[in-house]
Amino acid sequence: MPPVVAAIVGVVQGIAAAVGAIGGALGGLATASGIGGALFRIGAGMVISSLLAPKPPRGALARRNSTFAIRQPSPSRRIPYGLTRMGGIFMYAETTGDGEYLRMIFGIGDGPIEAIDSIYFDEKEVPLTTTTNDANGRPIYFASAGSDWNKETVTAGAVPHAWFSKYTGAAGQPADATFIAASDGKWTSSHTLDGIAYVAVTLLWNPEMFPQGVPNVSFKIRGRNDIVDSRSSTTAYSTNPALCLAHYLTTAKTGPNVDTATEIDDAALQAAANVCDESVSLNAGGTESRYTCNGFVDLAENPAGIIN
């Protein structure tokens, strides 16, 4: 048997063994008549095909995994799932106060998401402190005292040179009040970015604070929090891969928009979700779920690629 074929056979046998270990949960997907069964059969074929396919373009991998901010006139949309770190997408930038302030909007992805936990300038996390709210009652986060962006310098005292407002993409979120007040009509109350998670960033410009120029901005976030779990009839944040896949499949605006009632085999979905949630013991102690989903979907890819 040629070595490549032998390798593929070995991988496929490994897949079969894994499916057998999972038991009837995923096995049910293979015979299900709905979208679950179809996806399971397509997925097995994709695994084999992907072994023989050429490597994807480096740009696609970089786009999927990069924490670098994206500067494109028309960037693709993204759906974040689970805990992940993502580079921001430049959506708006202006200077105000005779160039003293640089104000930028960085998109993250389609919301609603659970939370924006951390903000990074280049590879350094910005320690955050909140002491005040904006005109909409939303907290404003400042670079904490003593950090690289809030310390004594030759040209300025110890004042914050970076502050932020976080938006999770919840329905009905308001436009950023600080930007409305500062932009002289360029950013208005209509700029709500409804359904988009983003961060409004203001830098008080100082070359001692930003010796390399505008920093690369990225975020550690917890993704979509509108994931349905039919096992408990709840809608919440989840890292369960089966539930995340079902969420993507049923997304109307940016996903395949399959019908939950007629195209999702709920019994098979629940069984797969139970397997993902199984508790696995760790050598170092403690436990974790057998499978979790942490990353984001780039909607520039076709649905088959995303599912795979």
Side-chain angles (χ1 to χ4, degrees):
M1 181 181 298
V4 173
V5 175
I8 293 173
V9 170
V11 172
V12 173
Q13 288 174 342
I15 294 169
V19 172
I22 291 173
L26 291 182
L29 288 174
T31 56
S33 59
I35 191 72
L39 289 178
F40 184 85
R41 293 189 291 273
I42 291 171
M46 284 180 172
V47 169
I48 298 172
S49 298
S50 65
L51 294 173
L52 298 175
K55 292 183 179 180
R58 292 178 60 86
L61 291 176
R63 184 173 61 250
R64 179 180 296 170
N65 300 317
S66 177
T67 57
F68 287 100
I70 297 173
R71 297 172 175 85
Q72 294 178 356
S74 183
S76 56
R77 300 182 71 133
R78 307 184 296 189
I79 304 177
Y81 290 107
L83 181 65
T84 188
R85 187 172 159 201
M86 305 169 64
I89 299 174
F90 273 97
M91 302 183 73
Y92 177 84
E94 69 164 331
T95 57
T96 61
D98 295 325
E100 185 179 14
Y101 298 95
L102 175 61
R103 304 183 188 275
M104 300 173 287
I105 298 290
F106 286 94
I108 296 173
D110 285 7
I113 66 172
E114 180 71 4
I116 302 164
D117 291 323
S118 304
I119 299 172
Y120 295 82
F121 282 174
D122 299 319
E123 289 303 307
K124 286 188 175 182
E125 182 178 348
V126 182
L128 300 178
T129 301
T130 179
T131 57
T132 187
N133 294 336
D134 66 14
N136 292 323
R138 302 178 69 91
I140 298 174
Y141 297 88
F142 298 92
S144 299
S147 70
D148 287 349
W149 306 278
N150 186 353
K151 60 184 180 181
E152 290 284 348
T153 67
V154 174
T155 56
V159 297
H161 280 66
W163 55 96
F164 314 86
S165 295
K166 304 177 183 179
Y167 294 84
T168 59
Q173 68 184 12
D176 187 78
T178 302
F179 273 50
I180 293 174
S183 70
D184 194 25
K186 298 182 184 71
W187 195 264
T188 72
S189 59
S190 297
H191 292 89
T192 62
L193 301 184
D194 195 56
I196 298 175
Y198 73 94
V199 174
V201 180
T202 298
L203 304 182
L204 174 57
W205 195 254
N206 186 311
E208 294 178 69
M209 297 287 185
F210 306 102
Q212 304 302 320
V214 179
N216 179 69
V217 183
S218 61
F219 310 97
K220 183 185 289 184
I221 62 104
R222 282 171 282 159
R224 293 294 289 258
N225 66 2
D226 58 345
I227 297 174
V228 175
D229 188 344
S230 60
R231 298 172 299 175
S232 56
S233 299
T234 57
T235 301
Y237 168 76
S238 176
T239 62
N240 185 294
L243 300 182
C244 291
L245 174 58
H247 178 276
Y248 166 70
L249 291 173
T250 55
T251 299
K253 184 185 297 184
T254 53
N257 192 28
V258 305
D259 184 79
T260 303
T262 61
E263 296 183 282
I264 295 289
D265 185 330
D266 192 56
L269 172 62
Q270 290 191 27
N274 287 337
V275 171
C276 294
D277 281 344
E278 287 177 353
S279 181
V280 177
S281 297
L282 302 175
N283 289 336
T287 61
E288 66 181 9
S289 296
R290 184 174 296 280
Y291 304 113
T292 58
C293 177
N294 301 284
F296 64 90
V297 164
D298 187 331
L299 294 170
E301 297 184 55
N302 63 48
I306 289 172
I307 292 164
N308 190 39

